[in-house]
Amino acid sequence: MGPRGLRGTVDCSRCASPAVTFLRYSGEHLCRDHFCESVERRVKRELRSQVDLRGGERIAVGMSGGKDSSVAASLVSQILANRRDVELVGVTVDEGIASYRPQGIVFAQRLCGRLGIEHHIVKYEATVGHTMDEVVQTDPGAIPCSYCGPFRRQALNLAARDVDADFVATGLNLDDTAQSILMNIARGDIEKLARLGPHEQVQPGLVPRLQPLRMIPEKEVYLYAMLRGIAFYDATCPYAERAQRGRFREILNRLEAESPGTRHAIVRGYDRIRPLLQAKYPPARLQACARCGEPTVNEICKACELRERLARMAASTESAASD
Ligand code: SF4
């Protein structure tokens, strides 16, 4: 524990101000200013390691209105404040979840207004042909995220292309990244593991992803938003509890509590073996989906496969009702 200050509070490890947080993985107590500075420095370093902006680029930031994407948009905007030659644009995917998404959109719109950037919305109704609420009604036994994940990836890519973006930045944090690595290992899906973002290669039709918060723990993203006054929609999707990711979140939280630094170790370890994985599984040759024309490794893309599954389920429900 850091030294006690006069007020009985713990002092910052770097100055005499009261600490607002303790980072167990580094053993540091940090005051408001040193904590915010530390987050900003790490995000700047991460962004630089992912992309070399030469000027003239347009970056779409995927904005849900939640804490992660709001902090990502604010920080990228701040980091690029002196780069008049790089343009940011906010993009929100509206999955069509009536009890959840509309409020998030309001927060995303407001933040874009504050940052002085354009805001675009892409709806599942337009890209998928159904809202997520309809998907859940049509296939009630499925895990909603198994539909929503591929639909979102496609919608975000379409939206980024529509706004002529060279990159799309997301709010993926350290917890999300470590969970994805563990999930792919647990499933033995090493090929997918090799292809986790951030993307280093440009593939035709696919806008490469940037993940500026990749090394920032979720709790620190939350604290940063609170301390910097970044307003965000603090709610959880009603379908999230059925996500498989939740099991991995619990496992990882337990590991982190017992051995602070586990999340960082998982992601750093992954980064070290990534070149080997990518040598074994180089980016697959993409082709146009036979149904929608979007880039895919298979003849039919995952989103179209799922759309067709939904159509079959709707047809069998209709025929059962008419019997
Ligand atoms: Fe979609 Fe699942 Fe996220 Fe909800 S929790 S928005 S269903 S991916």
Side-chain angles (χ1 to χ4, degrees), residues 181-206:
I181 294 167
L182 273 192
M183 281 167 73
N184 283 305
I185 291 175
R187 290 176 186 152
D189 197 344
I190 306 304
E191 203 164 338
K192 196 158 167 209
L193 186 66
R195 295 191 184 135
L196 291 180
H199 298 146
E200 285 151 9
Q201 283 196 0
V202 180
Q203 294 255 71
L206 274 188

Side-chain angles (χ1 to χ4, degrees), residues 95 97 100-101 124 132 144-145 148-149 152 237-240 243:
E95 304 92 345
I97 303 173
Y100 171 66
R101 182 51 67 217
Y124 275 10
M132 263 316 286
C145 306
C148 196
R152 154 114 44 61
C237 169
Y239 304 130

Side-chain angles (χ1 to χ4, degrees), residues 12-291:
C12 174
S13 307
R14 301 184 192 177
C15 72
S17 305
V20 294
T21 189
F22 174 52
L23 310 184
R24 286 186 72 213
Y25 59 85
S26 69
E28 271 191 310
H29 293 268
L30 293 178
C31 66
R32 179 186 186 282
D33 288 351
H34 278 115
F35 170 73
C36 290
E37 244 176 51
S38 154
V39 171
E40 286 155 10
R41 193 173 15 84
R42 281 178 279 158
V43 172
K44 191 172 184 176
R45 191 171 56 207
E46 186 59 41
L47 188 64
R48 280 203 178 140
S49 77
Q50 293 179 20
V51 66
D52 178 17
L53 296 169
R54 289 158 186 235
E57 291 92 347
R58 204 164 147 86
I59 302 178
V61 188
M63 297 175 71
S64 66
K67 66 177 185 322
D68 299 302
S69 58
S70 300
V71 166
S74 303
L75 279 171
V76 173
S77 160
Q78 183 183 320
I79 292 166
L80 300 177
N82 294 325
R83 294 290 307 263
R84 302 255 170 246
D85 56 346
V86 179
E87 200 181 344
L88 275 192
V89 43
V91 167
T92 300
V93 175
D94 180 355
E95 304 92 345
I97 303 173
S99 62
Y100 171 66
R101 182 51 67 217
Q103 270 299 95
I105 292 176
V106 171
F107 276 83
Q109 261 162 347
R110 271 195 216 136
L111 182 56
C112 285
R114 245 188 62 203
L115 300 175
I117 62 176
E118 287 171 26
H119 183 235
H120 298 260
I121 300 174
V122 57
K123 289 173 177 278
Y124 275 10
E125 274 163 295
T127 60
V128 177
H130 307 278
T131 64
M132 263 316 286
D133 288 335
E134 288 165 355
V135 170
V136 172
Q137 257 186 346
T138 308
D139 192 355
I143 294 171
C145 306
S146 61
Y147 279 97
C148 196
F151 289 160
R152 154 114 44 61
R153 272 193 295 281
Q154 190 175 72
L156 195 55
N157 192 55
L158 279 167
R161 270 204 337 245
D162 274 357
V163 299
D164 280 333
D166 301 285
F167 299 97
V168 56
T170 68
L172 208 88
N173 61 44
L174 176 67
D175 298 55
D176 301 324
T177 310
Q179 285 157 21
S180 298
I181 294 167
L182 273 192
M183 281 167 73
N184 283 305
I185 291 175
R187 290 176 186 152
D189 197 344
I190 306 304
E191 203 164 338
K192 196 158 167 209
L193 186 66
R195 295 191 184 135
L196 291 180
H199 298 146
E200 285 151 9
Q201 283 196 0
V202 180
Q203 294 255 71
L206 274 188
V207 184
R209 297 278 171 102
L210 301 175
Q211 299 166 347
L213 306 186
R214 186 173 182 263
M215 295 309 285
I216 311 293
E218 182 172 8
K219 279 189 184 152
E220 290 181 43
V221 176
Y222 192 95
L223 182 59
Y224 183 85
M226 304 303 278
L227 294 174
R228 284 286 190 233
I230 299 168
F232 61 88
Y233 182 46
D234 196 3
T236 306
C237 169
Y239 304 130
E241 63 186 38
R242 289 162 66 184
Q244 282 180 342
R245 184 173 277 274
R247 276 173 40 228
F248 288 89
R249 177 177 294 120
E250 279 168 27
I251 293 167
L252 205 53
N253 286 349
R254 263 207 318 273
L255 289 173
E256 183 70 27
E258 285 164 18
S259 309
T262 299
R263 290 164 305 187
H264 287 85
I266 290 173
V267 178
R268 288 206 184 103
Y270 167 70
D271 284 349
R272 288 178 66 187
I273 58 166
R274 200 157 112 113
L276 302 174
L277 295 173
Q278 287 175 336
K280 170 95 179 132
Y281 298 106
R285 253 178 63 91
L286 299 180
Q287 52 185 322
C289 167
R291 303 281 190 275

